[in-house]
């Protein structure tokens, strides 16, 4: 391999994720997606705490504890940007379940129920938006499943031929 070409490939490998991943934007867009993931993770953790506190004081069904555990796991995965589409989908579904459980199980005054309903709606739409938008360039998804180099043979018998090298998005 010529030295000039090797230098170009090394610069590509050392470049920022914002210029390397097409589906994982960096820069201000990636930063905005990072902030969305962090806010969504905090909201999910708040919902889970809301479910766990009454469960410690009473005999809540196992399904409520499982719902809280899924919310915590989704919060962690979304905050890290790992398996974002799966974690966001689970978070949106469990948020709807937590909202229904809270409406029927807790005796809340009008203003408290309004505040929790607003949190549930906010977290539901943030989770759904992250499923559609993706995690951004500053995530583990971007690091683990970005661009890969696939060497395609050009039909020559020389195994060292570099003519067929192409970068393909997985």
């Amino acid at each position: 391999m010529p030295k000039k070409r090797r230098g170009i490939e090394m610069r590509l490998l050392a470049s920022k994720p914002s210029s390397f991943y097409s589906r994982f934007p960096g820069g201000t867009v990636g930063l905005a997606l990072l902030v969305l993931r962090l806010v969504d993770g905090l909201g999910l953790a708040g919902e889970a705490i809301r479910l766990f506190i009454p469960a410690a004081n009473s005999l809540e069904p196992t399904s409520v504890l499982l719902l809280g555990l899924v919310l915590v796991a989704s919060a962690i995965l979304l905050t890290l940007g790992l398996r974002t589409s799966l974690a966001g989908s689970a978070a949106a579904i469990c948020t709807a379940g937590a909202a229904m459980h809270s409406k029927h199980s807790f005796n809340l005054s009008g203003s408290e129920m309004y505040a929790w309903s607003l949190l549930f709606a906010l977290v539901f739409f943030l989770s759904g938006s992250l499923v559609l938008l993706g995690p951004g360039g500053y995530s583990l998804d971007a690091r683990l499943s970005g661009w890969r180099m696939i060497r395609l043979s050009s039909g020559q018998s020389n195994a060292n031929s570099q003519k067929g090298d192409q970068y393909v998005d997985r």
Side-chain angles (χ1 to χ4, degrees), residues 140-152:
L140 289 178
D141 278 342
R143 292 289 179 189
L144 296 175
S145 63
W147 285 84
R148 301 287 187 243
M149 188 167 118
I150 299 174
R151 294 181 187 245
L152 301 174

Side-chain angles (χ1 to χ4, degrees), residues 27-74:
T28 56
V29 175
L31 187 61
L33 288 169
L34 174 64
V35 170
L36 284 177
R37 288 193 337 257
L38 292 175
V39 169
D40 194 25
L42 287 173
L44 288 168
E47 288 179 12
I49 290 170
R50 177 78 172 128
L51 289 174
F52 286 142
I53 289 175
N57 298 334
S58 66
L59 297 173
E60 287 288 330
T62 308
S63 60
V64 174
L65 295 176
L66 182 63
L67 185 66
L69 288 175
V70 171
L71 286 171
V72 169
S74 297

Side-chain angles (χ1 to χ4, degrees), residues 17-19 21-31 33 133-138 142:
S18 63
S19 64
Y21 302 115
S22 65
R23 294 184 331 199
F24 305 110
T28 56
V29 175
L31 187 61
L33 288 169
L133 292 173
Y138 307 113

